[in-house]
Short mmCIF file of all heavy atoms in Angstrom, two decimals:
data_model
loop_
_atom_site.label_atom_id
_atom_site.label_comp_id
_atom_site.label_asym_id
_atom_site.label_seq_id
_atom_site.Cartn_x
_atom_site.Cartn_y
_atom_site.Cartn_z
N ILE I 49 87.92 64.97 79.81
CA ILE I 49 87.67 65.68 81.01
C ILE I 49 87.06 64.64 82.06
O ILE I 49 85.96 64.24 81.96
CB ILE I 49 86.69 66.90 80.85
CG1 ILE I 49 87.17 67.91 79.91
CG2 ILE I 49 86.36 67.60 82.28
CD1 ILE I 49 86.29 69.02 79.53
N ARG I 50 87.99 64.24 83.00
CA ARG I 50 87.66 63.16 83.90
C ARG I 50 87.40 63.51 85.28
O ARG I 50 88.03 64.44 85.82
CB ARG I 50 88.84 62.14 83.91
CG ARG I 50 89.26 61.62 82.62
CD ARG I 50 90.60 60.70 82.81
NE ARG I 50 90.44 59.76 83.71
CZ ARG I 50 90.08 58.57 83.46
NH1 ARG I 50 90.02 58.05 82.23
NH2 ARG I 50 89.95 57.54 84.40
N ASP I 51 86.35 62.94 85.77
CA ASP I 51 85.99 63.30 87.33
C ASP I 51 86.77 62.43 88.22
O ASP I 51 86.50 62.27 89.38
CB ASP I 51 84.61 63.33 87.53
CG ASP I 51 84.06 61.94 87.85
OD1 ASP I 51 84.44 60.99 87.20
OD2 ASP I 51 83.23 61.86 88.82
N SER I 52 87.83 61.57 87.60
CA SER I 52 88.56 60.63 88.46
C SER I 52 90.00 60.48 87.94
O SER I 52 90.10 60.60 86.66
CB SER I 52 87.85 59.28 88.62
OG SER I 52 87.75 58.66 87.20
N PRO I 53 91.01 60.33 88.62
CA PRO I 53 92.32 60.19 88.08
C PRO I 53 92.46 58.91 87.30
O PRO I 53 91.91 57.75 87.68
CB PRO I 53 93.19 60.21 89.31
CG PRO I 53 92.30 59.76 90.37
CD PRO I 53 90.98 60.22 90.22
N LYS I 54 93.18 58.84 86.21
CA LYS I 54 93.26 57.71 85.39
C LYS I 54 94.21 56.68 85.99
O LYS I 54 94.11 55.57 85.94
CB LYS I 54 93.64 58.07 84.07
CG LYS I 54 93.61 56.84 83.08
CD LYS I 54 94.00 57.25 81.60
CE LYS I 54 93.93 56.12 80.68
NZ LYS I 54 94.24 56.49 79.28
N LEU I 55 95.39 57.22 86.55
CA LEU I 55 96.27 56.34 87.20
C LEU I 55 96.26 56.60 88.67
O LEU I 55 97.34 57.15 89.27
CB LEU I 55 97.69 56.60 86.51
CG LEU I 55 97.83 56.42 85.18
CD1 LEU I 55 99.18 56.83 84.57
CD2 LEU I 55 97.52 55.00 84.80
N GLY I 56 95.25 56.29 89.34
CA GLY I 56 95.01 56.49 90.79
C GLY I 56 95.84 55.58 91.50
O GLY I 56 96.30 54.55 91.02
N ALA I 57 96.05 55.91 92.89
CA ALA I 57 96.84 54.97 93.60
C ALA I 57 96.17 53.58 93.88
O ALA I 57 94.92 53.44 93.88
CB ALA I 57 97.05 55.54 94.98
N ILE I 58 96.89 52.50 93.88
CA ILE I 58 96.40 51.15 93.97
C ILE I 58 96.29 50.86 95.51
O ILE I 58 97.22 50.87 96.18
CB ILE I 58 97.27 50.15 93.33
CG1 ILE I 58 97.49 50.36 91.80
CG2 ILE I 58 96.70 48.71 93.53
CD1 ILE I 58 98.36 49.57 90.98
N ALA I 59 95.03 50.64 95.91
CA ALA I 59 94.73 50.45 97.20
C ALA I 59 95.14 48.97 97.66
O ALA I 59 94.67 48.15 97.03
CB ALA I 59 93.29 50.72 97.60
N PRO I 60 95.93 48.81 98.77
CA PRO I 60 96.17 47.42 99.19
C PRO I 60 94.91 46.70 99.76
O PRO I 60 94.08 47.45 100.29
CB PRO I 60 97.17 47.62 100.26
CG PRO I 60 97.02 48.94 100.83
CD PRO I 60 96.36 49.74 99.64
N LYS I 61 94.87 45.39 99.46
CA LYS I 61 93.81 44.55 100.11
C LYS I 61 94.25 44.17 101.50
O LYS I 61 95.06 43.21 101.64
CB LYS I 61 93.48 43.45 99.11
CG LYS I 61 92.73 43.78 97.95
CD LYS I 61 91.39 44.27 98.16
CE LYS I 61 90.55 44.56 96.93
NZ LYS I 61 89.20 44.94 97.12
N VAL I 62 93.60 44.81 102.47
CA VAL I 62 93.86 44.42 103.84
C VAL I 62 92.61 44.06 104.55
O VAL I 62 91.53 44.57 104.25
CB VAL I 62 94.76 45.52 104.48
CG1 VAL I 62 96.05 45.63 103.83
CG2 VAL I 62 93.89 46.83 104.49
N GLY I 63 92.74 43.33 105.57
CA GLY I 63 91.62 42.95 106.52
C GLY I 63 90.47 42.31 105.81
O GLY I 63 89.37 42.73 105.92
N GLN I 64 90.77 41.42 105.01
CA GLN I 64 89.78 40.66 104.26
C GLN I 64 88.85 39.76 105.21
O GLN I 64 89.41 38.91 105.99
CB GLN I 64 90.23 39.65 103.31
CG GLN I 64 90.84 40.25 102.05
CD GLN I 64 89.82 40.71 101.09
OE1 GLN I 64 89.49 41.93 101.00
NE2 GLN I 64 89.17 39.83 100.33
N THR I 65 87.49 40.08 105.39
CA THR I 65 86.66 39.35 106.18
C THR I 65 86.05 38.24 105.39
O THR I 65 86.15 38.09 104.04
CB THR I 65 85.58 40.27 106.72
OG1 THR I 65 84.65 40.85 105.62
CG2 THR I 65 86.21 41.48 107.38
N ILE I 66 85.28 37.52 106.08
CA ILE I 66 84.57 36.32 105.38
C ILE I 66 83.62 36.93 104.27
O ILE I 66 83.43 36.43 103.23
CB ILE I 66 83.72 35.39 106.35
CG1 ILE I 66 84.80 34.79 107.37
CG2 ILE I 66 82.97 34.38 105.67
CD1 ILE I 66 84.09 34.03 108.45
N ILE I 67 82.85 37.99 104.72
CA ILE I 67 81.94 38.60 103.81
C ILE I 67 82.72 39.21 102.58
O ILE I 67 82.23 39.12 101.34
CB ILE I 67 81.08 39.71 104.45
CG1 ILE I 67 80.22 39.06 105.64
CG2 ILE I 67 80.27 40.49 103.57
CD1 ILE I 67 79.53 40.09 106.51
N ASP I 68 83.85 39.67 102.86
CA ASP I 68 84.64 40.25 101.66
C ASP I 68 85.00 39.20 100.66
O ASP I 68 85.12 39.39 99.49
CB ASP I 68 85.99 41.02 102.31
CG ASP I 68 85.61 42.23 103.01
OD1 ASP I 68 84.60 42.91 102.71
OD2 ASP I 68 86.50 42.65 103.89
N ASP I 69 85.36 38.05 101.24
CA ASP I 69 85.68 37.00 100.39
C ASP I 69 84.60 36.44 99.60
O ASP I 69 84.68 35.96 98.34
CB ASP I 69 86.26 35.75 101.27
CG ASP I 69 87.63 36.09 101.88
OD1 ASP I 69 88.37 36.81 101.22
OD2 ASP I 69 88.06 35.45 102.91
N MET I 70 83.36 36.50 100.22
CA MET I 70 82.23 36.08 99.51
C MET I 70 81.81 36.91 98.32
O MET I 70 81.25 36.55 97.49
CB MET I 70 81.02 35.76 100.47
CG MET I 70 81.27 34.68 101.57
SD MET I 70 79.97 34.65 102.65
CE MET I 70 78.54 34.33 101.75
N THR I 71 81.93 38.28 98.60
CA THR I 71 81.52 39.20 97.76
C THR I 71 82.52 39.70 96.77
O THR I 71 82.29 40.45 95.81
CB THR I 71 80.96 40.45 98.43
OG1 THR I 71 82.00 41.10 99.23
CG2 THR I 71 79.64 40.16 99.43
N GLN I 72 83.78 39.27 96.90
CA GLN I 72 84.91 39.76 96.08
C GLN I 72 84.69 39.57 94.51
O GLN I 72 84.92 40.48 93.70
CB GLN I 72 86.12 39.05 96.44
CG GLN I 72 87.45 39.77 95.75
CD GLN I 72 88.73 39.24 96.41
OE1 GLN I 72 88.76 38.18 97.04
NE2 GLN I 72 89.78 40.14 96.39
N PRO I 73 84.15 38.38 94.18
CA PRO I 73 83.92 38.21 92.72
C PRO I 73 82.97 39.37 92.06
O PRO I 73 83.12 39.73 90.96
CB PRO I 73 83.34 36.91 92.46
CG PRO I 73 83.63 36.09 93.85
CD PRO I 73 83.79 37.10 94.84
N ILE I 74 82.00 39.80 92.84
CA ILE I 74 81.20 40.87 92.27
C ILE I 74 81.73 42.24 92.58
O ILE I 74 81.84 43.14 91.73
CB ILE I 74 79.84 40.72 92.90
CG1 ILE I 74 79.17 39.38 92.53
CG2 ILE I 74 78.88 41.94 92.51
CD1 ILE I 74 77.79 39.18 93.24
N SER I 75 82.26 42.40 93.81
CA SER I 75 82.89 43.86 94.09
C SER I 75 84.06 44.21 93.33
O SER I 75 84.25 45.39 93.00
CB SER I 75 83.12 43.72 95.66
OG SER I 75 84.16 42.85 95.89
N SER I 76 84.87 43.18 93.02
CA SER I 76 85.99 43.53 92.18
C SER I 76 85.67 43.91 90.76
O SER I 76 86.35 44.87 90.30
CB SER I 76 86.87 42.11 92.06
OG SER I 76 86.22 41.13 91.25
N VAL I 77 84.60 43.43 90.17
CA VAL I 77 83.96 43.89 88.89
C VAL I 77 83.66 45.42 88.97
O VAL I 77 83.85 46.26 88.23
CB VAL I 77 82.94 43.05 88.45
CG1 VAL I 77 82.37 43.71 87.04
CG2 VAL I 77 83.62 41.61 88.00
N TYR I 78 82.80 45.60 90.29
CA TYR I 78 82.32 46.98 90.32
C TYR I 78 83.39 47.96 90.63
O TYR I 78 83.44 49.15 89.99
CB TYR I 78 81.32 46.98 91.61
CG TYR I 78 80.80 48.30 91.90
CD1 TYR I 78 79.78 48.86 91.16
CD2 TYR I 78 81.23 49.03 92.98
CE1 TYR I 78 79.24 50.13 91.43
CE2 TYR I 78 80.80 50.14 93.35
CZ TYR I 78 79.87 50.84 92.55
OH TYR I 78 79.37 52.07 92.88
N ASN I 79 84.38 47.63 91.42
CA ASN I 79 85.40 48.57 91.81
C ASN I 79 86.35 48.79 90.67
O ASN I 79 86.96 49.86 90.70
CB ASN I 79 86.13 47.96 93.02
CG ASN I 79 85.36 47.85 94.22
OD1 ASN I 79 84.45 48.72 94.47
ND2 ASN I 79 85.57 46.87 95.24
N ASN I 80 86.46 47.99 89.74
CA ASN I 80 87.39 48.05 88.66
C ASN I 80 86.64 48.38 87.37
O ASN I 80 87.23 48.43 86.25
CB ASN I 80 88.13 46.83 88.36
CG ASN I 80 89.13 46.57 89.51
OD1 ASN I 80 90.12 47.40 89.78
ND2 ASN I 80 88.99 45.55 90.22
N PHE I 81 85.38 48.87 87.42
CA PHE I 81 84.60 49.11 86.35
C PHE I 81 85.28 50.25 85.39
O PHE I 81 85.35 50.11 84.16
CB PHE I 81 83.21 49.68 86.74
CG PHE I 81 82.11 49.50 85.71
CD1 PHE I 81 81.76 48.14 85.20
CD2 PHE I 81 81.45 50.49 85.21
CE1 PHE I 81 80.91 47.96 84.26
CE2 PHE I 81 80.46 50.36 84.16
CZ PHE I 81 80.23 49.15 83.74
N GLU I 82 85.77 51.33 86.05
CA GLU I 82 86.28 52.41 85.32
C GLU I 82 87.64 51.92 84.63
O GLU I 82 87.99 52.35 83.48
CB GLU I 82 86.53 53.60 86.10
CG GLU I 82 85.23 54.32 86.43
CD GLU I 82 85.52 55.68 87.32
OE1 GLU I 82 86.73 55.84 87.64
OE2 GLU I 82 84.56 56.52 87.42
N ASN I 83 88.36 51.08 85.24
CA ASN I 83 89.71 50.50 84.92
C ASN I 83 89.34 49.75 83.49
O ASN I 83 90.09 49.85 82.63
CB ASN I 83 90.39 49.71 85.96
CG ASN I 83 90.84 50.60 87.07
OD1 ASN I 83 91.06 51.64 86.92
ND2 ASN I 83 90.86 49.93 88.29
N PHE I 84 88.34 48.97 83.57
CA PHE I 84 88.05 48.15 82.44
C PHE I 84 87.71 49.10 81.21
O PHE I 84 88.27 48.88 80.06
CB PHE I 84 86.85 47.24 82.63
CG PHE I 84 87.03 46.14 83.68
CD1 PHE I 84 85.97 45.65 84.43
CD2 PHE I 84 88.20 45.78 84.01
CE1 PHE I 84 86.07 44.74 85.40
CE2 PHE I 84 88.41 44.71 84.97
CZ PHE I 84 87.35 44.29 85.64
N GLN I 85 87.03 50.11 81.45
CA GLN I 85 86.57 51.03 80.34
C GLN I 85 87.88 51.82 79.82
O GLN I 85 88.01 52.12 78.77
CB GLN I 85 85.60 51.99 80.84
CG GLN I 85 84.17 51.26 81.18
CD GLN I 85 83.07 52.25 81.46
OE1 GLN I 85 83.32 53.48 81.63
NE2 GLN I 85 81.87 51.76 81.55
N ASP I 86 88.74 52.13 80.83
CA ASP I 86 89.96 52.91 80.48
C ASP I 86 90.78 51.98 79.42
O ASP I 86 91.36 52.41 78.47
CB ASP I 86 90.79 53.27 81.65
CG ASP I 86 90.20 54.57 82.29
OD1 ASP I 86 89.69 55.40 81.47
OD2 ASP I 86 90.40 54.67 83.57
N ILE I 87 90.94 50.80 79.83
CA ILE I 87 91.76 49.83 79.09
C ILE I 87 91.08 49.75 77.55
O ILE I 87 91.78 49.60 76.55
CB ILE I 87 91.87 48.51 79.79
CG1 ILE I 87 92.66 48.50 80.99
CG2 ILE I 87 92.44 47.50 78.77
CD1 ILE I 87 92.64 47.32 81.85
N ASN I 88 89.83 49.62 77.56
CA ASN I 88 89.06 49.44 76.37
C ASN I 88 89.33 50.78 75.47
O ASN I 88 89.50 50.71 74.29
CB ASN I 88 87.58 49.25 76.62
CG ASN I 88 86.88 48.72 75.33
OD1 ASN I 88 87.23 47.96 74.54
ND2 ASN I 88 85.63 49.36 75.20
N SER I 89 89.14 51.87 76.17
CA SER I 89 89.27 53.13 75.41
C SER I 89 90.73 53.34 74.88
O SER I 89 90.99 53.76 73.69
CB SER I 89 88.94 54.31 76.27
OG SER I 89 87.65 54.30 76.73
N ASP I 90 91.72 52.93 75.61
CA ASP I 90 93.18 53.07 75.12
C ASP I 90 93.31 52.03 73.98
O ASP I 90 94.04 52.49 73.12
CB ASP I 90 94.05 52.58 76.31
CG ASP I 90 94.12 53.71 77.42
OD1 ASP I 90 93.70 54.80 77.20
OD2 ASP I 90 94.67 53.49 78.50
N MET I 91 92.67 50.93 74.05
CA MET I 91 92.84 50.04 72.87
C MET I 91 92.17 50.64 71.69
O MET I 91 92.88 50.53 70.56
CB MET I 91 92.22 48.72 73.23
CG MET I 91 92.33 47.67 72.16
SD MET I 91 91.40 46.09 72.48
CE MET I 91 89.71 46.73 72.41
N PHE I 92 91.10 51.30 71.73
CA PHE I 92 90.43 51.89 70.61
C PHE I 92 91.34 52.87 70.00
O PHE I 92 91.48 53.02 68.71
CB PHE I 92 89.10 52.47 71.16
CG PHE I 92 87.89 51.61 70.85
CD1 PHE I 92 87.79 50.43 71.52
CD2 PHE I 92 86.99 51.90 69.76
CE1 PHE I 92 86.69 49.58 71.31
CE2 PHE I 92 85.82 51.13 69.60
CZ PHE I 92 85.69 49.99 70.43
N ILE I 93 91.89 53.73 70.76
CA ILE I 93 92.75 54.89 70.41
C ILE I 93 93.97 54.44 69.77
O ILE I 93 94.48 54.89 68.73
CB ILE I 93 92.87 56.00 71.43
CG1 ILE I 93 91.48 56.51 71.68
CG2 ILE I 93 93.85 57.12 70.97
CD1 ILE I 93 91.64 57.53 72.88
N ASN I 94 94.63 53.51 70.45
CA ASN I 94 95.86 52.86 69.93
C ASN I 94 95.68 52.24 68.52
O ASN I 94 96.58 52.29 67.58
CB ASN I 94 96.43 51.83 70.86
CG ASN I 94 96.96 52.54 72.17
OD1 ASN I 94 97.22 53.80 72.18
ND2 ASN I 94 96.93 51.84 73.22
#
């Protein structure tokens, strides 16, 4: 029972600012946190 879609739409990366470029290494991990866990869970069940 998920409160988010597992295969949600992939948002395009547009309008990258200087701040976006600086924070991307951290923000990418945070934004893909659920994706990492989904991949891990799929591996466990497979």
Side-chain angles (χ1 to χ4, degrees):
I49 303 174
R50 305 173 54 97
D51 84 322
S52 60
K54 187 173 183 181
L55 299 177
I58 300 176
K61 286 292 183 180
V62 295
Q64 286 284 104
T65 64
I66 297 176
I67 296 178
D68 292 334
D69 290 334
M70 294 174 61
T71 60
Q72 191 170 21
I74 299 176
S75 63
S76 61
V77 174
Y78 174 79
N79 294 331
N80 291 296
F81 204 61
E82 289 186 351
N83 292 330
F84 297 152
Q85 293 186 351
D86 279 331
I87 294 171
N88 191 46
S89 298
D90 288 349
M91 181 185 67
F92 265 67
I93 295 177
N94 291 338

